[in-house]
Amino acid sequence: MSTSPTHSYEDKEKIPESPTVLDSEDISPDDAIVKRFGFLGPALAKLFASGVEARGVERVPEDQRDGRNMWNNLLMWWSVNTVLTTLPVGVLSQEIFFLTFPHALATILCFAAVGAVATSFIATLGPRTGLRTMIITRYSSGYFGCTIYSILNILTQLGFSVTAVILGGQTLASINPGTLPLTAGVVIVGIGSLIPCFIGYNMVHHYERYAWMVIFIVMLFLLGLGGHAGFDINAQKQFEDTGKALSSDILSFGGIVFGSVAGWAPVAADYNCRLPADTPPVKIFTLTFFGLFIPITFCEIVGALLMTITNEAYTDAFANGGTGGLLGQVLSPWKGGGKFILFLLAFSVIANNVPNTYSAALSVQALGRPFAKIPRFFWTLIIFIAYTVAGVAGREHFSEILSNFLAILSYWTAFFIVIVAEEHFLFRRPGGPLGGYNLDDWDKRSRLPLGIAGVLAGCFGVVGAVVGMAEVWYIGPLGVKAGAAFGADLGFELAAAFAGVTYPVFRWLEIRYTGR
């Protein structure tokens, strides 16, 4: 069956946006929204004139892109991950898995590299298509599959946001114990995260361009003060498992590390879809990879190192106040100066939380046309309220939320990445069955794939995750066989494998019988 004409991502001509979301092909997003909301139009026009971004999930045409912000791609990810929120992942290596520092270090480096490669590939699709990440999934999983992925991504970004505001609130509360309630700290951090992402794309990039600088220096302070207190890289040796149990711990912790990096894959294209279509993919891949890998591994290693301090005052501080309490103790020799650094660390989570909030709002719009017609900034407010309320409710259970959330996150992102990659390299490659992306059909349900292949492969990915996972509340049959008493978490590896094997078969059949 013949396929419909396509526009590949190499096309230089202006490709019109779909009139199914905008009221006209020739009207700008802000004008379309002003027109759509009648008597509220003048107020919205003033809001957009002040700098608030009007564009949502609509495709960015080639003549509206700007190549000047390419290096922001590196600096943005550097800022997003050089934050307080990344430290607790390294802490988990010893808090939950009892790994010695050498084993934690090797696990962090290896699994972070895998996650960074996957996320960097997704980032290259932004300039090529001019589309947000969730909309790109329509080309492999159709409109229905995009809705499923968008729901998963909304939950993912909410989960990241909850952990961020809880940790930031904990740290604020630990500056002067007893003076600021943890609830208030959570709310303060949440409000601080709202402002840049409410304004939009340009403000997000502007903020993230500089946010990393101070916190990177703070991380060096933590290393120095921690070293003064005394690192013992074999501190967990007597508690560390051996043999099969040790491999279980490494695999399970590795899944969490992978999730902490690959968790950015579902939003990676959102922040470079305004770069020119001819931007070299290798350059985007390289900048994204190092923008993720270096700060994430550095901060997670710092977190793991701080857990090797055996001084009783430090271990008690962690037992009573979690990561925030430990950091307070590490900085205590500097007295007032240390409290000021804690203040900076607490608000560093804003850099991490901004893309969560911004992309979650875009994912709400990707649920369908009725959602896309409501301005992005409105959904930003709703997302802010949701994660702030959840953060207040779960403020006493940070470690449990973080470990379980990041492990489960790695499962769906693994098969999502594999499906998008196979669609790109097998079916959308030049000279392939489809020969490119129908970029002008991004919101035309009748021209997009039915999504049967993507949804079925995703279901197989879920099966792979279920049989391979090892959580406190459930251990899959293969997870049991791979590990010791508590199993080994092979969830993300099997999720990727099951989806990777089944998707090409299902997709070939879908193209064979539908032509799209």
Side-chain angles (χ1 to χ4, degrees), residues 219-229 231:
M219 294 293 176
L220 296 178
F221 289 161
L222 290 176
L223 272 179
L225 289 169
H228 186 265
F231 293 136

Side-chain angles (χ1 to χ4, degrees), residues 123-409:
T124 65
L125 300 181
R128 293 183 176 192
T129 64
L131 295 169
R132 311 289 189 168
T133 314
M134 287 298 100
I135 301 299
I136 294 172
T137 65
R138 291 180 179 177
Y139 289 91
S140 57
S141 302
Y143 222 86
F144 180 66
C146 170
T147 300
I148 295 174
Y149 284 124
S150 296
I151 292 172
L152 290 172
N153 194 38
I154 292 166
L155 296 176
T156 295
Q157 303 313 316
L158 284 174
F160 270 129
S161 298
V162 169
T163 58
V165 295
I166 291 177
L167 185 57
Q170 279 183 347
T171 308
L172 278 179
S174 69
I175 294 175
N176 286 303
T179 59
L180 179 70
L182 179 53
T183 299
V186 169
V187 173
I188 290 171
V189 173
I191 293 173
S193 304
L194 173 65
I195 298 172
C197 52
F198 179 87
I199 296 173
Y201 185 95
N202 289 333
M203 184 61 181
V204 168
H205 273 292
H206 185 76
Y207 179 81
E208 303 288 7
R209 187 185 308 166
Y210 305 106
W212 66 274
M213 297 178 179
V214 173
I215 305 304
F216 179 73
I217 295 173
V218 168
M219 294 293 176
L220 296 178
F221 289 161
L222 290 176
L223 272 179
L225 289 169
H228 186 265
F231 293 136
D232 180 2
I233 62 173
N234 292 311
Q236 298 292 110
K237 191 66 177 179
Q238 59 181 319
F239 305 109
E240 187 179 57
D241 291 322
T242 57
K244 195 173 184 179
L246 175 59
S247 67
S248 301
D249 294 334
I250 290 174
L251 286 169
S252 298
F253 177 58
I256 292 175
V257 174
F258 173 83
S260 71
V261 187
W264 295 115
V267 307
D270 295 356
Y271 301 98
N272 52 32
C273 61
R274 295 191 181 186
L275 292 176
D278 59 357
T279 303
V282 172
K283 185 172 291 187
I284 292 295
F285 182 94
T286 303
L287 291 175
T288 304
F289 179 87
F290 287 109
L292 290 164
F293 182 76
I294 293 176
I296 288 178
T297 55
F298 174 65
C299 293
E300 290 180 358
I301 289 169
V302 171
L305 269 174
L306 294 179
M307 288 295 287
T308 68
I309 301 174
T310 56
N311 185 297
E312 187 175 354
Y314 291 78
T315 57
D316 289 345
F318 179 77
N320 296 325
T323 303
L326 174 60
L327 293 176
Q329 180 61 39
V330 171
L331 293 167
S332 61
W334 285 0
K335 301 184 179 353
K339 291 184 177 182
F340 176 70
I341 291 176
L342 268 183
F343 177 82
L344 294 176
L345 278 172
F347 280 99
S348 72
V349 303
I350 292 175
N352 183 263
N353 212 21
V354 164
N356 301 333
T357 310
Y358 180 78
S359 289
L362 292 172
S363 294
V364 175
Q365 288 191 314
L367 292 174
R369 294 166 189 165
F371 296 92
K373 288 184 176 181
I374 297 175
R376 176 201 55 80
F377 68 81
F378 172 80
W379 296 121
T380 300
L381 290 172
I382 299 300
I383 294 297
F384 155 71
I385 293 171
Y387 69 66
T388 302
V389 171
V392 170
R395 62 191 182 279
E396 303 293 345
H397 307 284
F398 174 75
S399 293
E400 297 90 334
I401 293 173
L402 181 65
S403 60
N404 285 288
F405 164 68
L406 286 178
I408 295 172
L409 165 64

Side-chain angles (χ1 to χ4, degrees), residues 7 11-17 25-26 59 61-64:
H7 289 285
D11 292 343
K12 304 300 182 187
E13 60 182 330
K14 177 182 177 181
I15 299 175
E17 298 180 40
E25 294 184 2
D26 299 321
R59 182 175 181 271
E62 280 82 348
D63 62 355
Q64 295 180 25

